[in-house]
Amino acid sequence: MASLGDLERSVMDLLWDSTEAQTANSLRDALAHAGAEDGKELAVTTVLTVLARLEKKDLVARERDTRPHQYRAVMSREEHTVELMNEALGNVMDREAVLARFIGGISGGEAAALRRLLEGPAAEAARPLDSGTPHTTSGQSA
Amino acid sequence: MLLTSYLLAGLAIALAWPVPVWLSRARFTSRSPFTTLIFWQAIALAGGLSMIGAMLIWGLAPLGDNLLSGLGALWGVVSGRLSADHLGPVHLFALSAAVLLGLHLVFTLLLTWVRVHRHRSRHRKLLALLSNPAPSDSRTVVVQHDAPVAYCLPGLTSSVTVVSRGLMEALDPEGLKAVLAHERAHLDQRHDLLVLAFESWHQALPWLPTSKLARGAVHELIEMLADDAALRQVDSAVLLRALITAATGEAPPPGASSGLPEGDLSAQRLKRLITPSPRLSRSARLALVAAAVLLVVAPTVLLVAPALPL
């Protein structure tokens, strides 16, 4: 492993999973511990490079009050995921954003039309499809 | 020259309004989305060509009998060898408008491409930190999120389909197969390029009826094509159930919703899944393709052909 991209991910995982801010040294130790089997020495400077890249991407914040500096994740993993999904779901007004993710997705309006269209023959349509309850599709006579 | 420019202008007007209105209302389009997409591309291409061509030819009319001699004479005027006496302000205006419109179209396309590319690469980087490869499929990644979401992220080298954990939990294996086949079709058929072209066409000329109608139609037709691809792997009841699940499993977060055009067109997409109508006949499809080719050839011939005998 040990490409910068892989290291970025490992560092972010460590920061997301820890409740406290971490120093580059402690991150290095944790990374070395996790990847002990490949026997490679990981230099602190490499970790600092990765942290600098993540800081530039606004994923990591540095606390400069302490020596050595401490690093923490700007947002939690869940918050980032929500941001990612918001971006993916897009905004009707923001055509460019939609384009960027190019969703082959399905809108709520379509679902409502579909429900109307399905009403009658299929019993499934009569079942309320409330938001928030992922409904599992059971064996259905179609 | 003058007659040619009037013919081109007539074609440009027809392609800017009545033809796209007719096509967007036509009922047969959902019976052959692929052929209809070809026709929309012909409309856009021929429309742009005839719009620019009409102004160019009209502006060059005092200088020569056809496009080449006119351009040659224009070069003579620009380089000072010929006098500009024949060229009135209206001709200069037409020529400038033709050049500006051409540049405007090209630069809008480039700008849209750059923006989209930047946006996607940012999304891809964040995705690399937040997703895991799907157990079943190497080209699919899973994001830990409760809302049922599926979308595809096109790229020159690394296209991926993204699904949320919520969607994987809500769908049975067949339903998941349907969704993945749908998204994979978008990627394999490079629908993103079509969307990009028609999006930038719309951004360049938002006031033009064609550009808006074409954009909406293209969005609709690529969804139909992807549905058709999914239907080769699962039956329509499975696909429909998967679509319902993805759409209603959870409301989108505030301020966000899917970016697809809604209304009649979407209902059309659903209707064809529920009650499939037969594909257009071979001869009808051939006629449509022939008309599309003719649409592009006509302004091209008008532009480069020697002067019409009038």
Side-chain angles (χ1 to χ4, degrees):
Chain A
M1 65 163 260
S3 81
L4 278 181
D6 290 337
L7 275 173
E8 279 182 23
R9 166 134 196 181
S10 307
V11 167
M12 282 317 293
D13 280 340
L14 283 171
L15 289 175
W16 275 327
D17 290 337
S18 78
T19 47
E20 290 154 22
Q22 303 275 328
T23 64
N25 263 317
S26 65
L27 286 169
R28 193 207 73 92
D29 292 344
L31 286 169
H33 184 70
E37 63 276 10
D38 64 2
K40 271 190 194 160
E41 265 315 292
L42 187 62
V44 177
T45 49
T46 311
V47 177
L48 283 168
T49 306
V50 170
L51 284 167
R53 283 168 58 118
L54 290 169
E55 197 181 357
K56 210 172 154 192
K57 290 180 189 171
D58 284 330
L59 291 165
V60 158
R62 191 194 322 201
E63 285 165 13
R64 293 164 190 271
D65 314 342
T66 57
R67 287 277 165 187
H69 292 166
Q70 293 202 312
Y71 297 84
R72 59 180 174 76
V74 170
M75 284 198 282
S76 73
R77 188 187 273 125
E78 290 69 30
E79 284 166 332
H80 270 301
T81 308
V82 168
E83 188 193 290
L84 192 74
M85 290 296 102
N86 272 348
E87 227 184 74
L89 289 167
N91 187 320
V92 177
M93 302 312 290
D94 187 2
R95 301 298 315 182
E96 267 171 21
V98 171
L99 235 188
R101 267 90 50 194
F102 190 60
I103 304 163
I106 299 109
S107 75
E110 281 175 332
L114 183 57
R115 219 176 313 165
R116 279 198 301 278
L117 288 163
L118 281 177
E119 257 163 33
E124 168 122 343
R127 217 162 79 193
L129 299 170
D130 291 332
S131 60
T133 53
H135 84 286
T136 44
T137 48
S138 49
Q140 196 71 47
S141 62
Chain B
M1 280 288 265
L2 275 181
L3 178 64
T4 308
S5 71
Y6 295 146
L7 288 176
L8 283 170
L11 186 62
I13 291 168
L15 292 176
W17 185 62
V19 176
V21 166
W22 162 75
L23 188 60
S24 66
R25 286 182 189 163
R27 285 258 151 240
F28 66 84
T29 54
S30 65
R31 289 172 57 199
S32 193
F34 186 77
T35 319
T36 312
L37 267 175
I38 292 179
F39 206 86
W40 275 115
Q41 290 174 75
I43 288 179
L45 204 59
L49 210 57
S50 53
M51 225 187 290
I52 294 170
M55 292 190 286
L56 195 63
I57 296 279
W58 195 81
L60 287 174
L63 294 175
D65 291 336
N66 59 42
L67 183 68
L68 280 183
S69 66
L71 283 177
L74 182 67
W75 176 246
V77 171
V78 171
S79 60
R81 281 187 292 108
L82 298 171
S83 84
D85 291 347
H86 299 301
L87 223 50
V90 279
H91 297 112
L92 282 178
F93 180 78
L95 287 174
S96 312
V99 172
L100 285 177
L101 179 59
L103 289 176
H104 179 56
L105 290 178
V106 171
F107 276 106
T108 310
L109 182 63
L110 285 176
L111 201 67
T112 313
W113 189 82
V114 168
R115 277 192 198 145
V116 166
H117 187 74
R118 207 174 282 161
H119 217 126
R120 273 192 201 138
S121 78
R122 208 182 72 79
H123 193 85
R124 202 185 297 278
K125 277 178 193 150
L126 206 51
L127 200 60
L129 297 175
L130 290 165
S131 68
N132 294 303
S136 53
D137 185 351
S138 61
R139 295 173 302 178
T140 304
V141 296
V142 182
V143 170
Q144 299 298 316
H145 194 62
D146 292 334
V149 177
Y151 61 96
C152 53
L153 197 61
L156 282 179
T157 51
S158 52
S159 300
V160 287
T161 302
V162 184
V163 294
S164 66
R165 191 196 56 214
L167 186 76
M168 295 191 80
E169 283 169 0
L171 291 175
D172 55 13
E174 278 291 290
L176 193 61
K177 196 168 137 192
V179 169
L180 290 181
H182 177 103
E183 299 301 332
R184 188 44 61 185
H186 280 317
L187 294 174
D188 288 347
Q189 299 176 17
R190 294 314 310 254
H191 290 164
D192 56 308
L193 296 180
L194 271 178
V195 172
L196 179 74
F198 280 91
E199 183 66 33
S200 80
W201 169 247
H202 176 66
Q203 295 213 338
L205 306 170
W207 41 267
L208 200 66
T210 336
S211 71
K212 190 166 181 240
L213 290 169
R215 187 184 64 168
V218 166
H219 271 112
E220 186 70 23
L221 292 165
I222 56 166
E223 293 305 332
M224 291 181 182
L225 281 177
D227 286 345
D228 290 348
L231 286 178
R232 274 175 230 128
Q233 297 194 22
V234 299
D235 68 34
S236 59
V238 171
L239 181 61
L240 277 171
R241 277 205 293 270
L243 295 185
I244 301 176
T245 309
T248 58
E250 191 178 289
S257 67
S258 170
L260 290 168
E262 292 180 30
D264 288 346
L265 282 173
S266 292
Q268 216 181 346
R269 175 184 162 205
L270 294 163
K271 273 179 199 147
R272 71 195 285 277
L273 283 177
I274 292 157
T275 49
S277 40
R279 211 170 159 219
L280 273 191
S281 70
R282 195 180 146 79
S283 52
R285 278 181 285 137
L286 275 178
L288 269 176
V289 172
V293 171
L294 201 66
L295 262 188
V296 179
V297 168
T300 314
V301 168
L302 280 175
L303 269 172
V304 297
L308 291 172
L310 266 174

